[in-house]
Amino acid sequence: VAAEAVTWLYQAHVLSLTRLAHVMLGDRAAAEDVVHDAFCGLYLRWHHLADTSKALSYVRTSVLNGCRSALRRRTPAGVDSEPPPAASAESAVMAWEERQEIMRALRQLPPRQREVLVLRYYLDLPDAEIATVMGIGASSVRSAARRAGQSLGRTIRGRS
Amino acid sequence: MTIQEEKIRTAIQETAAEIPPDHSPPLRLPLRPRRTLGTLRRRGPKRWPGWVAPLAAAVTVTVVIAGTFALTREFARTHVSAHHGTAPVGGWTGPVTGGAGPPAYYVFLGPVRPGSAGGPLPEATITSTLTGKPVATVVPPRPYIGFDYVAAAGNSSTFVLAAQQQNQIRRAGQSPGVVAMPEKFFLLYVSPTGHTRLTPLSLPVRVYPGFLAGIALSPSGSRLALASEGKPPWTHGSVLQVFNLANGTSRRWAWPDVGSEWDWASDVANLAWMNEQTLAFQMPVGTRPAHSPELGPGTVLQTRVLDTAAPGRNLAASRRVPGRTSLGGGDTGMTVAPGVGLIMEFNRARKAPAHRGIDEVSTATGRTVRTLGGGKAIEAFWSNATGTKLIVLEENAAGKRELGIVTATGTFTPLPAPRAVTVDWQHLFIAW
């Protein structure tokens, strides 16, 4: 039963969770590893879950924890994605550069602020659920989001 | 939503979209620990009494302090000559645990190119055990030109590779030459999804190509054994070293300088860890006469077991596995079932060319516990902890070699494998 449930959950959410980890880490291979480890951990602890309907929340938290561990282990050098083809319009290149700059700034934020932004803007989670996933209070979510917004705002304003 | 928020959202969404919608790597669930009777009986969540935590903490602190004192005294008494390290060897990432089933991956060094047999092999190919398909290929970073050896820990995801470096030199009035440099050791990590990471290990050792006789990684991946030949005269120069990758210490064993009994002990090889402490190895102890009726001329190997935690630096203190000397030969190798410490010794021509087999051998008595492989196996690469499942290379009636899993009853289940593994296996180094 556990294997079936975890496999179903994996198939349904592997894409969104891998994308979440990829945004956090900027490294596709590391993101895949983190997500895989999270699901293996879920499988091993399935019978200890008090409420299996909250398994997705559990695995999301595991992915965030895995991202934190991966970030602690590795060197600060980020992995940037490929630029658009040379034939792209100039505006596309500028948009790509702006995106890279925002993502670099995002990855330099303290872990809590970064996670709040990613959960809010990528998964569209309400503050209450972000608080549950991160194990912090809703007010902490709001303050972290505000501080993160201020930091990123400086980056965006500096660019424009 | 403000413009700034919109920009952040767009950047995050576009970065996320770099993972394509059809992304769905396979999920490999680990083996779940067997449930105990206690957990089956348990109903509802159970909490420990409140006084257990402080008591456990106090006991833990006491045990750690006592253990530290005991280990410190033991270490000082028996390991005076050892290299004293206090930190993990650079590149080491921690101990590993293995599952009960066949390992997911194996690594073989290759390809073997014409005229290159015996030299370094340019690539390490990580291959899926079940599909036989290559998962990734690793080449050594410059200036290393190829790999000489590979050893695996017990989890199929941690390997150690020995890499060879050669420097081109030019001397006035002479043609260009090549100078061999000491071997460099790398830790290869393969993630469950098949991603690889090659990290150099900072080991305090200088072994030159040709002098390295073998390496073996302990089941947890925390100890690396290395057999090497010393300086001339090599008849007495064989050395075994064990590097503890977790704390940076190392130990070294050598044969005594005198005594004709050890004249052949220059070629320690076929290293295999039986557990985290005990290392099995083989060494030549003489030659068979040309008229030997069973085996023909060749080298006679002796199988020995070394307790790496016992005091002393003399390799002669290792224990000989009784009765296994005469069965050895140039075609003999061994692998080990880590859980029970049995040596699997294959023997290609014990009585006649057609007689082949893998013996489970008792290291205490040297007697054969059972023969596996249906008499067709020519090499054993891996065994489970009980010795009831082995990955072997068999030769069928048509002379074709097949890789497969063989059970204690001799049932053989073929596994798909690259052509190199079944054809060039004698020139390859393979580690599960």
Side-chain angles (χ1 to χ4, degrees):
Chain A
V1 175
E4 281 178 18
V6 173
T7 305
W8 180 86
L9 202 66
Y10 179 81
Q11 286 167 351
H13 297 285
V14 62
L15 178 62
S16 66
L17 289 172
T18 307
R19 285 177 164 178
L20 170 70
H22 177 60
V23 171
M24 298 289 294
L25 299 171
D27 180 346
R28 179 173 171 169
E32 287 178 9
D33 289 349
V34 163
V35 172
H36 192 274
D37 288 350
F39 276 95
C40 288
L42 173 69
Y43 172 65
L44 291 173
R45 293 170 188 82
W46 184 263
H47 292 290
H48 298 283
L49 290 183
D51 183 358
T52 51
S53 66
K54 292 181 179 166
L56 178 59
S57 180
Y58 174 91
V59 80
R60 259 188 209 139
T61 306
S62 298
V63 168
L64 288 180
N65 289 339
C67 290
R68 272 180 226 139
S69 302
L71 287 167
R72 269 199 300 270
R73 278 199 303 269
R74 79 176 184 199
T75 53
V79 182
D80 287 346
S81 56
E82 289 293 315
S88 298
E90 188 182 350
S91 61
V93 174
M94 286 179 67
W96 179 84
E97 285 177 351
E98 183 180 59
R99 189 185 107 198
Q100 292 300 313
E101 205 159 326
I102 293 173
M103 292 309 295
R104 262 196 297 274
L106 180 81
R107 289 178 187 130
Q108 285 169 1
L109 291 175
R112 182 184 285 194
Q113 294 178 24
R114 181 173 48 216
E115 287 164 18
V116 165
L117 285 193
V118 173
L119 292 173
R120 177 183 274 186
Y121 293 126
Y122 174 60
L123 293 182
D124 285 328
L125 295 184
D127 287 356
E129 200 165 341
I130 294 174
T132 305
V133 170
M134 293 181 62
I136 59 176
S139 61
S140 301
V141 171
R142 285 191 292 275
S143 67
R146 192 172 58 245
R147 287 200 303 275
Q150 287 166 354
S151 300
L152 288 188
R154 280 195 292 275
T155 303
I156 294 168
R157 280 194 298 276
R159 181 177 174 77
S160 59
Chain B
M1 183 178 290
T2 64
I3 294 175
Q4 175 185 315
E5 283 179 320
E6 190 55 46
K7 283 185 175 178
I8 296 170
R9 176 186 291 276
T10 304
I12 290 175
Q13 298 279 3
E14 286 180 354
T15 304
E18 288 173 357
I19 307 287
D22 59 350
H23 171 83
S24 182
L27 176 65
R28 286 200 324 113
L29 293 175
L31 287 171
R32 199 203 300 270
R34 192 173 294 168
R35 278 219 248 174
T36 63
L37 203 57
T39 55
L40 285 173
R41 281 178 179 166
R42 185 179 299 165
R43 294 188 187 281
K46 180 186 174 185
R47 294 186 63 83
W48 292 100
W51 50 267
V52 170
L55 178 66
V59 170
T60 305
V61 169
T62 309
V63 167
V64 166
I65 291 172
T68 305
F69 273 113
L71 281 175
T72 306
R73 290 179 62 188
E74 177 69 10
F75 194 83
R77 186 171 62 84
T78 62
H79 303 94
V80 175
S81 63
H83 170 77
H84 290 268
T86 53
V89 168
W92 193 67
T93 52
V96 299
T97 53
Y105 305 118
Y106 62 95
V107 172
F108 72 85
L109 308 183
V112 180
R113 299 201 173 101
S116 68
L121 295 157
E123 296 171 356
T125 304
I126 299 100
T127 310
S128 165
T129 303
L130 292 181
T131 66
K133 290 181 179 168
V135 174
T137 301
V138 174
V139 295
R142 289 182 179 184
Y144 302 97
I145 56 169
F147 297 112
D148 286 335
Y149 288 94
V150 58
N155 68 341
S156 93
S157 66
T158 307
F159 301 85
V160 167
L161 299 156
Q164 196 179 123
Q165 176 186 357
Q166 287 179 347
N167 280 4
Q168 298 273 352
I169 56 163
R170 288 180 180 277
R171 291 196 188 101
Q174 295 181 9
S175 56
V178 173
V179 174
M181 303 296 286
E183 296 266 349
K184 180 73 179 173
F185 297 88
F186 290 88
L187 190 75
L188 172 65
Y189 171 72
V190 185
S191 80
T193 48
H195 299 296
T196 59
R197 190 172 62 235
L198 192 68
T199 314
L201 285 170
S202 311
L203 292 179
V205 62
R206 286 172 71 86
V207 184
Y208 287 84
F211 292 85
L212 183 61
I215 60 174
L217 199 55
S218 69
S220 76
S222 59
R223 287 175 172 79
L224 178 68
L226 184 156
S228 62
E229 295 178 17
K231 296 172 184 174
W234 297 319
T235 49
H236 298 302
S238 191
V239 166
L240 257 183
Q241 291 177 90
V242 171
F243 299 94
N244 188 325
L245 304 180
N247 61 19
T249 58
S250 65
R251 291 194 63 193
R252 186 176 186 275
W253 294 262
W255 295 101
D257 288 337
V258 292
S260 58
E261 187 186 355
W262 311 112
D263 278 355
W264 282 90
S266 60
D267 195 15
V268 169
N270 290 334
L271 305 178
W273 285 95
M274 298 171 63
N275 50 48
E276 288 299 311
Q277 181 177 326
T278 313
L279 184 69
F281 63 94
Q282 292 182 314
M283 60 172 222
V285 290
T287 53
R288 285 188 301 273
H291 60 272
S292 173
E294 291 186 354
L295 295 163
T299 306
V300 176
L301 290 178
Q302 190 178 89
T303 303
R304 301 184 73 92
V305 175
L306 174 70
D307 181 356
T308 62
R313 301 169 55 190
N314 192 340
L315 211 44
S318 58
R319 184 172 60 82
R320 183 171 71 85
V321 177
R324 303 308 297 185
T325 303
S326 60
L327 292 180
D331 297 332
T332 302
M334 65 178 180
T335 185
V336 161
V340 289
L342 297 176
I343 295 175
M344 259 52 76
E345 191 168 348
F346 71 90
N347 195 337
R348 277 197 237 159
R350 185 159 57 179
K351 290 179 181 171
H355 187 95
R356 292 168 174 168
I358 300 171
D359 293 341
E360 270 191 35
V361 176
S362 163
T363 55
T365 64
R367 289 183 183 158
T368 299
V369 178
R370 52 186 163 172
T371 297
L372 299 164
K376 297 179 193 168
I378 50 179
E379 185 155 0
F381 295 113
W382 172 87
S383 165
N384 67 355
T386 53
T388 52
K389 271 188 185 173
L390 286 83
I391 294 177
V392 299
L393 193 70
E394 281 205 359
E395 191 167 276
N396 62 22
K400 188 184 172 194
R401 296 182 194 97
E402 285 185 300
L403 192 73
I405 296 179
V406 68
T407 63
T409 56
T411 308
F412 181 80
T413 309
L415 288 168
R419 187 176 175 276
V421 171
T422 52
V423 175
D424 294 333
W425 103 100
Q426 288 187 75
H427 305 291
L428 299 177
F429 287 93
I430 307 177
W432 253 274

